[in-house]
């Protein structure tokens, strides 16, 4: 498994922290992890690590757009029409804005087994980060537990739905209920592209 964890701004520092739970889960399964953290989350290191290890699972954290994902200081890691073939043969989870809109589709056409990501912005509230990042972490941890890409995607969405249902009760403060549309947004914009039945080879 390869994970990118830039930490150069407010949002990426949260993703950096919450991704540690996924790294810990991988270690429990004795799955080797290449942690491209901080300044190591760059195109050169990612490309070198992929070519050296041919990873089964690549977990991207950072900013993105329709056709790209970025690393440290928002420098492009992978971009449509450039180097998306480096994901070939892997399952990719990209926790970044919009990258499933174009990049994910292009990656699948060029050999990525499954690409889980977001077709629009990925939103979270920093003071309620757990409600947003625990469900998204479930994608990665479910894959590590042996679930298919589709099952991992669905477990994450089920977790969002459970939180939303709880927030809709009258006992919850109005302030907390304001989170509902944003949780709903992340859940609806999350997609699984490619082979629904793809799973990590060492978890078969």
């Amino acid at each position: 498994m390869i994970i990118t964890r830039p930490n150069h701004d407010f949002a990426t520092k949260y993703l950096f922290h919450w991704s540690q739970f996924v790294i810990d889960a991988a270690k429990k399964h004795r799955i080797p992890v290449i942690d491209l953290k901080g300044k190591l989350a760059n195109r050169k290191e990612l490309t070198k690590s992929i070519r050296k290890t041919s990873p089964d699972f690549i977990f991207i954290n950072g900013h993105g757009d329709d056709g790209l994902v970025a690393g440290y200081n928002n420098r492009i890691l992978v971009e449509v029409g450039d180097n998306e073939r480096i994901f070939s043969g892997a399952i990719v989870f990209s926790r970044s804005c919009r990258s499933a809109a174009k990049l994910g589709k292009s990656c699948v056409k060029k050999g990525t087994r499954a690409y889980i990501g977001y077709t629009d912005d990925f939103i979270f509230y920093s003071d309620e980060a757990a409600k947003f990042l625990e469900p998204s972490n479930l994608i990665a941890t479910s894959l590590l537990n042996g679930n298919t890409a589709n099952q991992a995607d669905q477990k994450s969405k089920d977790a969002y739905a459970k939180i939303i249902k709880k927030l809709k009760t009258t006992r919850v403060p109005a302030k907390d209920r304001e989170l509902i549309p944003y949780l709903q947004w992340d859940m609806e914009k999350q997609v699984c592209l490619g082979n629904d039945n793809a799973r990590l080879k060492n978890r078969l």
Side-chain angles (χ1 to χ4, degrees):
M1 166 184 164
I2 293 175
I3 182 170
T4 65
R5 292 199 298 156
N7 59 354
H8 58 276
D9 63 12
F10 188 78
T12 55
K13 284 176 182 176
Y14 270 86
L15 301 185
F16 180 97
H17 169 75
W18 281 89
S19 298
Q20 185 63 50
F21 294 99
V22 176
I23 293 171
D24 293 343
K27 289 179 178 177
K28 284 181 183 177
H29 289 296
R30 298 182 180 178
I31 294 172
V33 178
I34 295 176
D35 182 11
L36 300 180
K37 60 183 178 179
K39 293 180 180 179
L40 291 175
N42 63 65
R43 180 169 173 153
K44 180 181 177 182
E45 290 296 327
L46 177 63
T47 302
K48 181 175 73 174
S49 298
I50 290 173
R51 288 176 176 167
K52 184 177 179 181
T53 63
S54 298
D56 210 17
F57 178 36
I58 301 171
F59 182 13
I60 301 291
N61 288 277
H63 295 291
D65 208 332
D66 290 17
L68 63 88
V69 288
Y72 191 78
N73 275 346
N74 299 332
R75 291 176 180 159
I76 295 171
L77 298 175
V78 181
E79 187 172 18
V80 167
D82 184 6
N83 63 333
E84 64 266 60
R85 288 188 187 276
I86 69 166
F87 286 159
S88 181
I91 296 174
V92 175
F93 170 34
S94 179
R95 184 154 57 188
S96 56
C97 292
R98 298 178 173 269
S99 73
K102 293 181 181 177
L103 177 63
K105 293 174 183 176
S106 183
C107 287
V108 167
K109 286 180 182 176
K110 295 184 179 180
T112 299
R113 293 167 60 211
Y115 189 105
I116 303 173
Y118 304 88
T119 57
D120 212 315
D121 291 340
F122 174 71
I123 299 169
F124 68 91
Y125 272 52
S126 59
D127 56 348
E128 294 285 354
K131 289 182 173 67
F132 295 84
L133 298 179
E134 283 180 355
S136 72
N137 268 357
L138 260 179
I139 295 169
T141 56
S142 296
L143 287 168
L144 293 169
N145 284 335
N147 289 269
T148 66
N150 183 63
Q151 288 169 337
D153 176 53
Q154 191 58 53
K155 286 190 175 188
S156 170
K157 289 175 177 174
D158 290 346
Y160 278 119
K162 186 176 180 180
I163 294 168
I164 291 167
K165 183 178 180 181
K166 185 177 180 180
L167 291 176
K168 284 182 176 178
T169 65
T170 54
R171 296 185 300 276
V172 173
K175 173 179 69 74
D176 291 344
R177 288 201 295 274
E178 291 174 3
L179 299 173
I180 292 172
Y182 302 103
L183 291 160
Q184 187 85 29
W185 172 274
D186 284 347
M187 181 175 68
E188 291 176 356
K189 302 305 178 184
Q190 182 177 301
V191 295
C192 178
L193 307 172
N195 180 3
D196 283 349
N197 295 316
R199 69 174 83 222
L200 302 187
K201 293 168 187 172
N202 64 356
R203 308 305 300 161
L204 292 174

